[in-house]
Amino acid sequence: RFSPPTARPHARRRRMGSLDLREKAIGLANEAVTADNAGQFELALAKYVQAIETFQIALKYEKAPSVTETIRGKCLEYMDRAEYLKKQIRGEAGTPRAQRAGSALNPAEADDSDDDDGESQVLTEEELVNAEKEMEEDMSKLVGMDGVKQQMRKLCKQLALDIIRRTEGQTVLAPIRHCLMTGNPGTGKTSIARLVARLYKRLGVSRKDHVVEVQKGDLVAGYVNQTATKTAKKIREAKGGVLFVDEAYQLTAALQRGQSDFSGEAIDEMMKVMNDSGPKSVTFIFAGYKKEMEQFMSYNPGLESRIKYRFHFDDYSVPELVQILQIKLRSAGWKLSPEAQAASQSTIEKGTSPKLRERYNGRLVDNLFQWASDELNARVTVGARGDELVTLTLADLQRAVERFAQSRPSDRIRETANATEVGRQLRIWGLGEFCEALQEAGYTRSLDLLQLDEPAMRSLKMLAKPADARRARALRETLNSEAVAASAARDQLYVPPDCRDLAAWLDMVGCAAAARALSDHDIHFDVLGALTYDDLKEMGVAPVGLRRRLARSIAVFAAQRDAAKATADLGAAEVGTVAPLPPGGGTPGSGGAEIMQRLNHIKETMVNSVLPTAGHGHGPSPGYPPPPQPPRPAT
């Protein structure tokens, strides 16, 4: 930062102001949450106290009401968590030290923390034949998927041959076990993922056959340094089995549009362990739409090199949907009447569109069965007995199919899309039918809609109908206007610390001689950050040295203002969701009494005034031991 030669030391300290203190407090808060999640509860308590105290000092220099409100809210969150930690630490003082430090593992975790077994267990020829036979039995229960089943046979054979090569001391290529599955929803990707898990377990590739299903929301947090922790937790949960990442393309959708997102941390965390081998390693299966998954793979070349097996799932044909319906009926102990049995295929084909069948595939059958049973319940009386209670007629089936035209089946993607900020905004503008398309493209926040330009709207088919095109363009223009107005309003709110007006700021940066020129052109803080060197020259700011000095100071001012606006918009200091403190969470070590006193002092001042001004608080105590470096620097 530029410091004019005439600036006094106390003026430089004032220029540090709220922004630097906020950045320091945010870093302390991130360290506190990291320590909290890691079970280092004494350290977490100390860091929460330091963060709150630093935020209190920052309030003295903060002039923007929106930023002040954000800081106050965050301090209250940190205060609640610190109080909880204090009570638990004091209440469990008699617990053995190993448990108080949060280092004890439960039996399951201790078992998984052992070293890997290294090479897969050597199987006999009979065991290999049985594994293949069991896989064929599992696949025989699945309808369609001829191409996928053929790929599964190749996968089984390759793994079996690798086991034989290893038995004979032959060279085995580096094992790559991860998979990519593409296709529309309801085509059986999850079923095949479970089949892969069972096959890997039978052949000794994996230690377990369990599948942990996740989506973006299960891996990505909305705040700094927490996505890696959240993702690592799911990886540990899937250890020795399969981590099935559904709609994996959501992890890169925002990043590919150039928007800020923490999804990159999740991908990095997964790639760290994708090269691991052995029965206790995690097998990753990424699933989603074909086109979107191709974009997902292209985002990071390292992903493509780590994924060996690729499966594409075609949509179910109408005869296959009928076959699935019959299997589900038999499994539930129900059946179709002879008339319904004969006409089921034509009824489904005529009553549903190809687009609907493509969208829901196997899920369509679930809804058809449910609605047909509702029709049967409405038709029969309580005196019905025997087969009459579980036999669906052709009329039941026809009325169930008709309901597809009246209400769409329940769908997780649609429900999620409608619940987002974007979904609510689109419904207000009469564009609700595009909720799912925008959700799949990664538009989840209102801010994302600012990136919705003409090419993007065209690719999402929002311009196909003139009425939709008008509404979409009007929505974009309205959001842009609101964003510009909101930005201007925040510009007006931002005033540098200890500066009552522009003249005071110019005096502070050693450019008081330019006050007359800026006043003649009606320059205030709301437009100051936009001025360039050429603007100052045109306004008559002279000499050259003064003009250059003022231009550098304006650049610093603009950077501080933009950072303050970003903090207010995004709520940079997120406390997140941390795990409850287990019994025996820890006891105060050296300096613990001091931390408790400082926490009590903060609590008293917060009770008196919700949050005190900086004059009522105090900064970190001199000589307080520095915290360990966090896994990743806060940004």
Side-chain angles (χ1 to χ4, degrees):
R1 291 177 179 166
F2 170 72
S3 298
T6 57
R8 297 177 298 276
H10 70 275
R12 289 198 296 271
R13 285 196 297 271
R14 284 201 301 268
R15 281 201 299 278
M16 175 183 177
S18 176
L19 179 61
D20 301 88
L21 288 167
R22 278 206 318 277
E23 290 175 349
K24 180 179 179 181
I26 290 169
L28 290 168
N30 287 328
E31 292 174 14
V33 175
T34 300
D36 204 341
N37 283 327
Q40 300 172 341
F41 303 114
E42 293 178 47
L43 177 61
L45 178 59
K47 290 295 180 182
Y48 281 128
V49 170
Q50 286 182 290
I52 296 170
E53 290 171 338
T54 308
F55 273 127
Q56 288 178 313
I57 299 172
L59 283 173
K60 177 180 179 180
Y61 303 100
E62 186 53 62
K63 305 298 182 183
S66 58
V67 178
T68 300
E69 191 63 28
T70 298
I71 293 176
R72 293 182 186 221
K74 294 302 173 185
C75 283
L76 290 173
E77 291 181 43
Y78 299 139
M79 184 67 212
D80 288 342
R81 183 61 184 175
E83 272 293 305
Y84 178 76
L85 291 178
K86 183 187 78 171
K87 292 177 182 177
Q88 292 296 318
I89 288 173
R90 281 183 168 175
E92 301 293 338
T95 309
R97 182 64 187 172
Q99 293 183 358
R100 291 200 304 268
S103 60
L105 296 173
N106 61 42
E109 290 172 329
D111 179 63
D112 277 348
S113 67
D114 296 334
D115 293 337
D116 257 345
D117 297 332
E119 300 292 341
S120 302
Q121 181 181 359
V122 177
L123 303 181
T124 65
E125 184 176 350
E126 182 181 358
E127 288 173 323
L128 294 176
V129 172
N130 288 337
E132 184 178 4
K133 182 179 179 181
E134 290 171 356
M135 183 195 71
E136 289 291 345
E137 290 176 358
D138 288 339
M139 291 196 301
S140 67
K141 301 173 185 176
L142 302 175
V143 176
M145 303 189 205
D146 293 336
V148 172
K149 290 177 181 178
Q150 189 61 33
Q151 286 178 284
M152 284 297 299
R153 294 185 184 101
K154 291 180 180 179
L155 170 60
C156 179
K157 185 177 180 181
Q158 177 178 330
L159 294 174
L161 289 174
D162 281 344
I163 292 173
I164 295 172
R165 291 188 185 100
R166 191 176 294 112
T167 303
E168 296 187 353
Q170 302 290 338
T171 301
V172 178
L173 298 180
I176 301 177
R177 58 209 291 176
H178 313 298
C179 307
L180 179 73
M181 297 184 177
T182 60
N184 290 324
T187 50
K189 295 187 291 294
T190 306
S191 298
I192 292 295
R194 296 193 181 103
L195 198 154
V196 168
R198 290 196 292 272
L199 176 64
Y200 280 9
K201 171 69 163 54
R202 290 166 186 155
L203 295 177
V205 176
S206 295
R207 186 164 174 247
K208 304 175 183 177
D209 62 358
H210 74 299
V211 178
V212 177
E213 300 179 39
V214 297
Q215 289 186 306
K216 178 180 178 179
D218 301 309
L219 303 174
V220 180
Y223 39 94
V224 176
N225 280 348
Q226 290 306 293
T227 292
T229 302
K230 197 172 182 181
T231 303
K233 182 179 178 181
K234 286 296 180 182
I235 292 174
R236 287 195 300 271
E237 187 179 336
K239 192 171 184 179
V242 170
L243 185 66
F244 181 77
V245 186
D246 197 13
E247 300 173 21
Y249 55 86
Q250 293 278 14
L251 292 171
T252 58
L255 297 173
Q256 288 173 328
R257 293 200 306 272
Q259 298 172 354
S260 60
D261 195 292
F262 296 110
S263 300
E265 287 185 33
I267 296 174
D268 292 342
E269 197 68 25
M270 289 187 285
M271 289 181 64
K272 285 181 185 177
V273 298
M274 287 181 74
N275 285 336
D276 294 349
S277 59
K280 290 185 181 179
S281 302
V282 178
T283 297
F284 291 89
I285 298 180
F286 300 99
Y289 294 100
K290 189 175 189 303
K291 179 181 177 182
E292 285 78 359
M293 290 306 294
E294 290 174 355
Q295 295 172 347
F296 168 74
M297 296 292 288
S298 67
Y299 174 76
N300 191 323
L303 275 173
E304 191 163 6
S305 65
R306 287 169 169 83
I307 295 175
K308 183 173 184 178
Y309 306 107
R310 303 192 181 201
F311 303 86
H312 179 69
F313 294 73
D314 294 321
D315 296 323
Y316 287 115
S317 64
V318 175
E320 288 172 340
L321 292 174
V322 172
Q323 190 177 349
I324 294 172
L325 176 61
Q326 292 170 344
I327 292 173
K328 288 183 178 292
L329 286 168
R330 283 198 301 271
S331 177
W334 289 51
K335 60 182 178 179
L336 295 173
S337 68
E339 185 183 14
Q341 180 76 32
S344 57
Q345 180 171 329
S346 60
T347 301
I348 293 175
E349 191 163 12
K350 293 177 182 177
T352 60
S353 65
K355 184 177 181 181
L356 183 69
R357 295 194 293 271
E358 173 187 317
R359 181 64 178 162
Y360 294 100
N361 284 287
R363 297 176 188 173
L364 183 145
V365 174
D366 294 329
N367 287 273
L368 185 62
F369 186 8
Q370 181 63 52
W371 288 344
S373 66
D374 291 343
E375 296 298 332
L376 182 148
N377 293 335
R379 173 173 53 81
V380 303
T381 65
V382 292
R385 296 292 184 273
D387 287 350
E388 190 177 359
L389 291 170
V390 292
T391 303
L392 301 174
T393 65
L394 177 58
D396 295 332
L397 207 58
Q398 289 173 335
R399 281 192 286 270
V401 169
E402 289 172 1
R403 290 178 62 173
F404 280 102
Q406 302 167 5
S407 60
R408 298 174 68 184
S410 174
D411 181 80
R412 179 179 58 186
I413 297 176
R414 178 168 55 87
E415 292 171 356
T416 302
N418 288 338
T420 62
E421 294 178 24
V422 169
R424 291 189 290 271
Q425 193 78 256
L426 291 175
R427 290 199 305 277
I428 291 173
W429 283 80
L431 298 167
E433 64 182 287
F434 300 103
C435 286
E436 297 167 53
L438 267 72
Q439 164 79 1
E440 291 161 7
Y443 294 84
T444 56
R445 302 175 302 166
S446 295
L447 287 175
D448 295 341
L449 291 176
L450 295 175
Q451 310 294 325
L452 198 61
D453 53 14
E454 288 283 324
M457 288 191 289
R458 190 172 294 108
S459 67
L460 293 166
K461 298 181 171 53
M462 299 180 73
L463 306 181
K465 299 178 182 178
D468 289 340
R470 285 194 299 272
R471 284 193 288 265
R473 291 187 177 108
L475 169 61
R476 184 191 60 194
E477 293 301 323
T478 300
L479 291 175
N480 285 336
S481 299
E482 291 176 353
V484 171
S487 179
R490 289 191 295 272
D491 286 350
Q492 292 177 344
L493 288 174
Y494 181 75
V495 178
D498 296 342
C499 293
R500 62 186 183 275
D501 54 27
L502 187 60
W505 179 81
L506 289 170
D507 183 51
M508 185 181 74
V509 299
C511 299
R516 179 66 180 270
L518 269 62
S519 176
D520 289 345
H521 289 83
D522 198 25
I523 301 299
H524 300 287
F525 284 122
D526 56 337
V527 296
L528 178 65
L531 295 181
T532 65
Y533 179 86
D534 291 336
D535 292 331
L536 297 176
K537 183 177 180 180
E538 186 176 343
M539 292 162 56
V541 177
V544 173
L546 172 63
R547 188 159 61 239
R548 291 187 180 279
R549 190 161 61 248
L550 179 55
R552 287 193 290 267
S553 298
I554 289 174
V556 171
F557 164 84
Q560 292 175 331
R561 180 200 61 190
D562 292 343
K565 287 164 62 178
T567 303
D569 286 343
L570 302 178
E574 290 284 356
V575 65
T577 302
V578 290
L581 184 65
T587 58
S590 61
E594 178 200 351
I595 290 295
M596 296 298 180
Q597 292 173 1
R598 289 162 62 186
L599 182 60
N600 290 334
H601 174 76
I602 293 172
K603 184 178 179 182
E604 290 173 5
T605 56
M606 291 177 74
V607 167
N608 292 334
S609 59
V610 180
L611 254 182
T613 60
H616 294 180
H618 52 271
S621 298
Y624 192 77
Q629 289 296 320
R632 285 185 176 83
T635 57

